[in-house]
Amino acid sequence: NEWPIEQYLADSDVSECIVEGIDSFTFKTSKGLLHITSVFSCEASLKDYLLLKCNTISRKNLEDGQKFRTLFFYSDPWNITILKAPVTAHVYTVIFKKVAMAQSLNHLVDQQTLDAKTRKILEKALELKKGILVSSSHPSVTYRLIEAMARKFDQNELIAIAAQGTGIRLDKHHALYFYEENEFDAPLMFQGIVSVFPERIIISNVSSNNISECLMVNQSVSSGIIAGIRSLSSLDAFEQIERTVQEQHKYWTSKFIHRRIYETFSLLVHVENLPKFGMRVLEIKEIAWSETNKAKINALVEFRPNPEDPDGGDFQHSKEGASFFKESLNNSEILRYTDVS
């Protein structure tokens, strides 16, 4: 075997492997940890293996330690994280982790997190690369919905993730992670994102540190943006962004701020964990552009809790539906959407 590491990764009992440099390997099995040495003859051999395993990565990306300190890829059934100096003491530290698949939107329908019509709205928004802002009072709930939506991405698309920690995990996709460790990182982080021309951008947490860059990034790249934000409702998320940008850019007019939000995000989705009933999408609102040259918020979906209902409540849909949905469908497709139960 040209790559001796493969015989260990092929063992069904191995769930994780940590490669530190070229001469330290740790494999995690049900029986404990297995340590071996000298699997790769030199650093060049390790590089060649990573380039083969992660076939969408370029040698330039692998060697560019300033722009890409962390790379993340999927090679069935492994999530592969590549850490590079100065993040690690070694030139490369590589972590192979066998993945448990994130739940799909269909799974969330089965669990009554959302209904079939709501799933259709999200799927169409993803297909058209519309911006989606997902809000919740608990980031972990936000991440679960973002991960489910990300499973609709084409597996050949390059995804750029603006991350805080490792909250977002993707299955069978190729992603570049960009980390924001302090308030001065955001501009450089988004410059790095723009430089790779991703088809999709995921922003794990919209905050006061990065909100301006979030609203400007799609001026440079035509990418579908999904972002998470901590808030109490979708309207609160919108107002939080508007208020923060006004404080940071006093010369930006209200019309300009509204236009940037409107051009970045088409949907506001709020999701929470309900006591006894679990995760529910509580509301989806569409950001539209009004005749008065301001963004207006239209309600599309609302979950109405009912403690006496064994399902916890029911989903109410507006009759108008999402404007982007109707504009992209023909009449027969609109009828099929309306008939979804």
Side-chain angles (χ1 to χ4, degrees), residues 5-15 29 34 78 98:
I5 190 174
E6 285 290 312
Q7 68 183 17
Y8 297 98
L9 296 180
D11 186 340
S12 60
D13 195 36
V14 172
S15 60
T29 72
L34 171 66
W78 301 97
K98 204 168 277 183

Side-chain angles (χ1 to χ4, degrees), residues 19-273:
V19 180
E20 297 181 282
I22 63 172
D23 54 6
S24 176
F25 295 76
T26 303
F27 296 90
K28 184 176 180 181
T29 72
S30 61
K31 300 172 185 175
L33 300 178
L34 171 66
H35 300 279
I36 63 172
T37 59
S38 302
V39 171
F40 293 99
S41 59
C42 60
E43 183 186 318
S45 178
L46 173 57
K47 276 186 189 178
D48 289 341
Y49 176 74
L50 293 175
L51 289 167
L52 175 70
K53 198 76 175 171
C54 311
N55 57 19
T56 61
I57 187 174
S58 70
R59 187 173 291 274
K60 179 181 178 183
N61 287 349
L62 188 60
E63 295 174 348
D64 190 342
Q66 292 299 314
K67 190 179 295 180
F68 305 111
R69 290 175 293 169
T70 304
L71 300 174
F72 179 94
F73 293 93
Y74 178 87
S75 180
D76 192 20
W78 301 97
N79 274 345
I80 304 172
T81 304
I82 305 171
L83 304 174
K84 297 180 295 180
V87 175
T88 171
H90 305 276
V91 176
Y92 295 107
T93 293
V94 186
I95 302 169
F96 294 80
K97 203 162 193 176
K98 204 168 277 183
V99 297
M101 295 288 283
Q103 292 180 309
S104 67
L105 290 175
N106 287 337
H107 288 140
L108 296 186
V109 171
D110 293 340
Q111 295 173 6
Q112 298 170 321
T113 297
L114 44 85
D115 66 354
K117 284 187 178 180
T118 304
R119 184 199 69 213
K120 275 280 195 182
I121 293 173
L122 295 178
E123 287 177 342
K124 197 62 181 180
L126 293 168
E127 178 189 331
L128 298 174
K129 293 189 177 181
K130 296 293 184 179
I132 302 174
L133 181 65
V134 181
S135 60
S136 177
S137 58
H138 300 284
S140 61
V141 179
T142 303
Y143 295 162
R144 280 185 62 195
L145 183 56
I146 290 176
E147 288 169 354
M149 290 192 289
R151 289 194 64 183
K152 300 298 295 184
F153 295 167
D154 187 294
Q155 290 185 20
N156 294 318
E157 291 180 323
L158 178 62
I159 304 162
I161 300 180
Q164 289 184 329
T166 54
I168 302 292
R169 62 191 173 92
L170 301 183
D171 301 314
K172 297 188 178 180
H173 292 96
H174 301 292
L176 296 176
Y177 273 62
F178 298 80
Y179 284 93
E180 178 186 355
E181 297 172 353
N182 59 59
E183 61 182 304
F184 304 107
D185 278 353
L188 287 175
M189 178 177 69
F190 279 90
Q191 285 176 25
I193 289 174
V194 168
S195 72
V196 299
F197 297 100
E199 283 87 6
R200 305 279 183 173
I201 297 174
I202 294 177
I203 302 167
S204 65
N205 182 49
V206 174
S207 67
S208 58
N209 289 347
N210 62 28
I211 182 57
S212 298
E213 285 75 16
C214 289
L215 296 183
M216 299 303 290
V217 69
N218 67 348
Q219 296 290 294
S220 303
V221 292
S222 179
S223 307
I225 297 176
I226 300 179
I229 188 171
R230 177 175 283 189
S231 71
L232 300 177
S233 69
S234 54
L235 186 58
D236 177 54
F238 180 92
E239 292 175 344
Q240 183 180 324
I241 290 175
E242 180 183 26
R243 185 169 57 250
T244 302
V245 175
Q246 283 176 337
E247 291 171 356
Q248 293 180 349
H249 302 279
K250 300 190 183 301
Y251 56 89
W252 285 13
T253 65
S254 177
K255 175 184 174 182
F256 180 78
I257 294 171
H258 275 222
R259 190 74 193 181
R260 295 304 321 125
I261 298 174
Y262 162 73
E263 291 181 352
T264 304
F265 299 113
S266 293
L267 292 183
L268 304 173
V269 181
H270 190 71
V271 59
E272 293 288 2
N273 257 332

